[in-house]
Amino acid sequence: MSEVSGLLAVIDMQRVFAEPDSPWAAPRFAEAAAGVRRLLPAFGDRVVFTRFLAPDEPAGAWRDYYARWPFALQPPHAPLWRLTDEFASVARHVVDATTFGKWTPRLAELAGPAGRLVLAGVSTDCCVLSTALAAADAGVEVLVAADACAGADDDAHARALHLLDLYRPLVRVTTVGELLREPPAPDRPRAIGHRPGE
């Protein structure tokens, strides 16, 4: 399989979004997981998994948010925040955030200032969308693998993809198949964790 250039950020493939009885379940989580599974080999060690976590003490408007979803006020080690078993076993690099957007300083460092970020995961209409727009504002080329994402429901997924597509050329909605058919990049980006002089 040829390599795909850039960094793959797999957004929030956690039990809280996977388990059918969870209030935050993404109905098509399994389909998104299948798309992620197909992408992983094409990125090798250039993969970051993210996790959404509740803050210790919600502040500002987050107080109202967690008043609506009190079940989620659990510590980082709580089972609901774990990556699903399939991805926990392969997640070498994990970025945690208490915000919807995962464009943290750490993810920015890994992507590089003129980098390319490929997004997959859940949910399309929340954390994927928030991450994509923040990265695009930072000048990073963003590609969203539509069939490796899942929304709160089909309509929310479709509306989020439509919104993301309005941000061309900063953000481009694509598919797993299109990404895997891309010609290989001439120069492979450095492995995650590599530091100058290592």
Side-chain angles (χ1 to χ4, degrees):
M1 174 181 289
S2 63
E3 293 180 354
V4 178
S5 63
L7 177 73
L8 174 62
V10 181
I11 307 297
D12 303 354
M13 296 298 279
Q14 296 164 267
R15 293 174 61 176
V16 68
F17 305 113
E19 295 175 352
D21 60 347
S22 168
W24 287 353
R28 296 194 185 271
F29 186 97
E31 293 169 37
V36 171
R37 201 177 305 124
R38 289 176 60 205
L39 285 172
L40 290 177
F43 287 86
D45 55 4
R46 293 170 292 114
V47 179
V48 176
F49 286 83
T50 72
R51 293 192 312 156
F52 178 79
L53 301 176
D56 292 335
E57 289 290 336
W62 286 106
R63 287 193 290 269
D64 290 338
Y65 180 82
Y66 284 103
R68 180 180 179 187
W69 303 109
F71 86 96
L73 279 176
Q74 298 190 39
H77 61 270
L80 82 165
W81 300 132
R82 293 179 191 154
L83 294 172
T84 58
D85 292 345
E86 171 183 15
F87 297 121
S89 64
V90 297
R92 292 182 53 216
H93 307 284
V94 179
V95 171
D96 293 339
T98 59
T99 53
F100 293 149
K102 302 306 183 299
W103 186 247
T104 62
R106 178 61 177 150
L107 190 56
E109 175 191 359
L110 295 171
R116 182 194 221 201
L117 186 67
V118 177
L119 295 178
V122 297
S123 70
T124 323
D125 46 304
C126 186
C127 295
V128 173
L129 175 68
S130 298
T131 303
L133 297 185
D137 272 349
V140 172
E141 179 189 8
V142 178
L143 285 80
V144 178
D147 51 346
C149 295
D153 55 45
D154 288 350
D155 185 53
H157 173 72
R159 284 185 289 135
L161 292 176
H162 175 72
L163 178 61
L164 286 162
D165 203 49
L166 296 176
Y167 282 81
R168 282 178 179 260
L170 298 172
V171 178
R172 181 160 55 95
V173 176
T174 185
T175 66
V176 171
E178 288 170 351
L179 285 166
L180 296 181
R181 284 192 298 270
E182 285 190 347
D187 295 311
R188 179 181 172 142
R190 64 181 173 82
I192 293 174
H194 176 76
R195 305 279 187 221
E198 287 183 340

Coordinates of all heavy atoms in Angstrom, one line a residue, residues 156-190:
A156 N -26.9 15.3 10.7 CA -25.8 16.1 11.3 C -24.5 15.9 10.6 O -23.7 16.8 10.3 CB -25.7 15.8 12.8
H157 N -24.2 14.6 10.2 CA -23.0 14.3 9.5 C -23.0 14.9 8.1 O -22.0 15.6 7.8 CB -22.9 12.7 9.3 CG -21.8 12.2 8.5 ND1 -20.5 12.2 8.9 CD2 -21.9 11.7 7.2 CE1 -19.8 11.7 7.9 NE2 -20.6 11.3 6.9
A158 N -24.1 14.8 7.4 CA -24.2 15.4 6.1 C -24.1 17.0 6.1 O -23.4 17.6 5.3 CB -25.5 15.0 5.4
R159 N -24.7 17.6 7.1 CA -24.7 19.0 7.2 C -23.3 19.5 7.6 O -22.8 20.5 7.1 CB -25.7 19.5 8.2 CG -27.1 19.5 7.7 CD -28.1 20.1 8.6 NE -28.3 19.2 9.8 CZ -28.4 19.7 11.1 NH1 -28.2 20.9 11.3 NH2 -28.6 18.8 12.0
A160 N -22.6 18.8 8.4 CA -21.2 19.2 8.8 C -20.3 19.0 7.6 O -19.4 19.9 7.4 CB -20.7 18.3 9.9
L161 N -20.4 18.0 6.8 CA -19.6 17.8 5.6 C -19.8 18.9 4.6 O -18.9 19.5 4.0 CB -19.8 16.5 5.0 CG -19.4 15.2 5.8 CD1 -19.8 14.0 5.0 CD2 -17.9 15.3 6.0
H162 N -21.1 19.3 4.5 CA -21.4 20.5 3.6 C -20.8 21.7 4.1 O -20.2 22.5 3.3 CB -23.0 20.6 3.5 CG -23.4 21.8 2.7 ND1 -23.2 21.9 1.3 CD2 -23.8 23.1 3.1 CE1 -23.6 23.1 0.9 NE2 -24.0 23.8 2.0
L163 N -20.8 22.0 5.4 CA -20.2 23.2 5.9 C -18.7 23.1 5.7 O -18.1 24.1 5.3 CB -20.6 23.3 7.4 CG -19.9 24.4 8.2 CD1 -20.4 25.8 7.6 CD2 -20.3 24.4 9.7
L164 N -18.1 22.0 6.0 CA -16.6 21.9 5.8 C -16.2 22.2 4.4 O -15.2 22.8 4.1 CB -16.2 20.5 6.3 CG -16.1 20.3 7.8 CD1 -16.1 18.8 8.1 CD2 -14.9 21.0 8.4
D165 N -17.1 21.7 3.4 CA -16.7 21.8 2.0 C -16.8 23.3 1.6 O -16.2 23.7 0.6 CB -17.7 21.0 1.2 CG -17.1 20.7 -0.2 OD1 -15.9 20.2 -0.2 OD2 -17.8 20.9 -1.2
L166 N -17.5 24.1 2.3 CA -17.5 25.6 2.0 C -16.2 26.2 2.3 O -16.0 27.4 1.8 CB -18.6 26.3 2.9 CG -20.0 25.8 2.6 CD1 -21.0 26.5 3.6 CD2 -20.5 26.2 1.2
Y167 N -15.3 25.6 3.0 CA -14.0 26.2 3.4 C -12.9 25.8 2.4 O -11.7 26.1 2.6 CB -13.6 25.7 4.8 CG -14.3 26.5 5.8 CD1 -15.6 26.1 6.2 CD2 -13.7 27.6 6.5 CE1 -16.3 26.8 7.2 CE2 -14.4 28.3 7.5 CZ -15.7 27.9 7.8 OH -16.4 28.6 8.8
R168 N -13.2 25.2 1.2 CA -12.2 25.0 0.2 C -11.5 26.3 -0.2 O -12.2 27.3 -0.2 CB -12.9 24.4 -1.1 CG -13.2 22.9 -1.0 CD -13.8 22.5 -2.2 NE -14.1 21.0 -2.2 CZ -13.4 20.1 -2.8 NH1 -12.3 20.5 -3.5 NH2 -13.7 18.8 -2.7
P169 N -10.2 26.3 -0.5 CA -9.3 25.2 -0.5 C -8.7 24.9 0.8 O -7.8 24.0 0.9 CB -8.3 25.6 -1.5 CG -8.2 27.1 -1.3 CD -9.6 27.5 -0.9
L170 N -9.0 25.6 1.9 CA -8.4 25.3 3.2 C -8.7 23.9 3.7 O -7.9 23.2 4.3 CB -8.8 26.4 4.2 CG -8.4 27.8 3.9 CD1 -9.0 28.8 4.9 CD2 -6.9 27.9 3.9
V171 N -10.0 23.5 3.5 CA -10.5 22.2 4.0 C -11.1 21.5 2.7 O -11.8 22.1 2.0 CB -11.6 22.4 5.0 CG1 -12.1 21.0 5.5 CG2 -11.1 23.2 6.2
R172 N -10.7 20.3 2.6 CA -11.3 19.5 1.5 C -11.9 18.2 2.0 O -11.3 17.5 2.8 CB -10.2 19.1 0.5 CG -10.7 18.4 -0.7 CD -9.8 18.4 -1.9 NE -8.4 18.0 -1.6 CZ -7.9 16.8 -1.8 NH1 -8.7 15.9 -2.3 NH2 -6.7 16.5 -1.5
V173 N -13.2 18.0 1.7 CA -13.8 16.7 2.1 C -13.5 15.7 1.0 O -13.6 15.9 -0.2 CB -15.4 16.9 2.2 CG1 -16.1 15.6 2.5 CG2 -15.7 17.9 3.3
T174 N -13.0 14.5 1.5 CA -12.6 13.5 0.6 C -13.1 12.1 1.1 O -13.9 12.1 2.0 CB -11.1 13.5 0.4 OG1 -10.7 12.5 -0.6 CG2 -10.3 13.2 1.7
T175 N -12.6 11.0 0.5 CA -13.0 9.7 1.0 C -11.7 8.9 1.3 O -10.6 9.2 0.8 CB -13.9 8.9 0.0 OG1 -13.1 8.7 -1.2 CG2 -15.1 9.8 -0.4
V176 N -11.9 7.8 2.0 CA -10.8 6.9 2.2 C -10.2 6.4 0.9 O -9.0 6.4 0.6 CB -11.2 5.7 3.1 CG1 -10.1 4.7 3.2 CG2 -11.6 6.2 4.5
G177 N -11.1 6.0 0.0 CA -10.6 5.5 -1.3 C -9.8 6.5 -2.1 O -8.8 6.2 -2.7
E178 N -10.3 7.8 -2.1 CA -9.5 8.8 -2.8 C -8.2 9.0 -2.2 O -7.2 9.2 -2.9 CB -10.3 10.1 -2.8 CG -11.6 10.1 -3.7 CD -12.5 11.3 -3.5 OE1 -12.3 12.0 -2.5 OE2 -13.4 11.4 -4.3
L179 N -8.1 9.0 -0.8 CA -6.8 9.2 -0.2 C -5.9 8.1 -0.5 O -4.7 8.3 -0.7 CB -7.0 9.3 1.4 CG -7.6 10.6 1.9 CD1 -8.1 10.4 3.3 CD2 -6.6 11.7 1.8
L180 N -6.4 6.9 -0.5 CA -5.5 5.7 -0.7 C -5.0 5.6 -2.2 O -4.0 4.9 -2.5 CB -6.2 4.4 -0.3 CG -6.5 4.3 1.2 CD1 -7.2 3.0 1.5 CD2 -5.3 4.5 2.1
R181 N -5.7 6.3 -3.1 CA -5.3 6.3 -4.5 C -4.3 7.4 -4.8 O -3.8 7.5 -6.0 CB -6.5 6.4 -5.4 CG -7.3 5.2 -5.5 CD -8.3 5.3 -6.7 NE -9.3 6.3 -6.4 CZ -10.5 6.1 -5.8 NH1 -10.8 4.9 -5.3 NH2 -11.3 7.1 -5.7
E182 N -4.1 8.3 -3.9 CA -3.2 9.4 -4.1 C -1.8 8.9 -4.5 O -1.3 7.9 -3.9 CB -3.0 10.3 -2.9 CG -4.2 11.2 -2.7 CD -4.0 12.3 -1.6 OE1 -3.0 12.1 -0.9 OE2 -4.8 13.2 -1.5
P183 N -1.0 9.6 -5.4 CA 0.4 9.2 -5.6 C 1.2 9.4 -4.3 O 0.9 10.3 -3.5 CB 0.8 10.1 -6.7 CG -0.1 11.2 -6.7 CD -1.4 10.7 -6.2
P184 N 2.2 8.6 -4.1 CA 3.0 8.7 -2.8 C 3.7 10.0 -2.8 O 4.1 10.5 -3.9 CB 3.9 7.5 -2.9 CG 4.0 7.1 -4.3 CD 2.6 7.4 -4.9
A185 N 3.9 10.6 -1.6 CA 4.6 11.9 -1.5 C 6.1 11.6 -1.8 O 6.6 10.5 -1.4 CB 4.4 12.4 -0.1
P186 N 6.8 12.5 -2.4 CA 8.2 12.3 -2.7 C 9.1 12.2 -1.5 O 10.1 11.5 -1.5 CB 8.6 13.5 -3.6 CG 7.5 14.6 -3.3 CD 6.3 13.8 -2.9
D187 N 8.8 12.9 -0.4 CA 9.5 12.9 0.8 C 8.6 12.6 1.9 O 7.7 13.3 2.2 CB 10.2 14.2 1.1 CG 11.2 14.6 0.0 OD1 12.1 13.7 -0.3 OD2 11.2 15.7 -0.5
R188 N 9.0 11.5 2.7 CA 8.2 11.1 3.8 C 8.4 12.1 5.0 O 9.6 12.3 5.3 CB 8.5 9.7 4.2 CG 7.7 9.2 5.4 CD 8.1 7.8 5.8 NE 7.5 7.5 7.1 CZ 7.0 6.3 7.4 NH1 7.1 5.4 6.5 NH2 6.5 6.1 8.5
P189 N 7.4 12.6 5.6 CA 7.6 13.5 6.8 C 8.2 12.7 7.9 O 8.1 11.5 8.0 CB 6.1 13.9 7.1 CG 5.3 13.7 5.9 CD 6.0 12.5 5.2
R190 N 8.8 13.4 8.8 CA 9.5 12.8 9.9 C 8.5 12.0 10.8 O 7.4 12.3 10.9 CB 10.2 13.8 10.8 CG 9.3 14.8 11.4 CD 10.1 15.8 12.2 NE 9.3 16.9 12.7 CZ 8.5 16.8 13.8 NH1 8.5 15.7 14.5 NH2 7.8 17.8 14.2

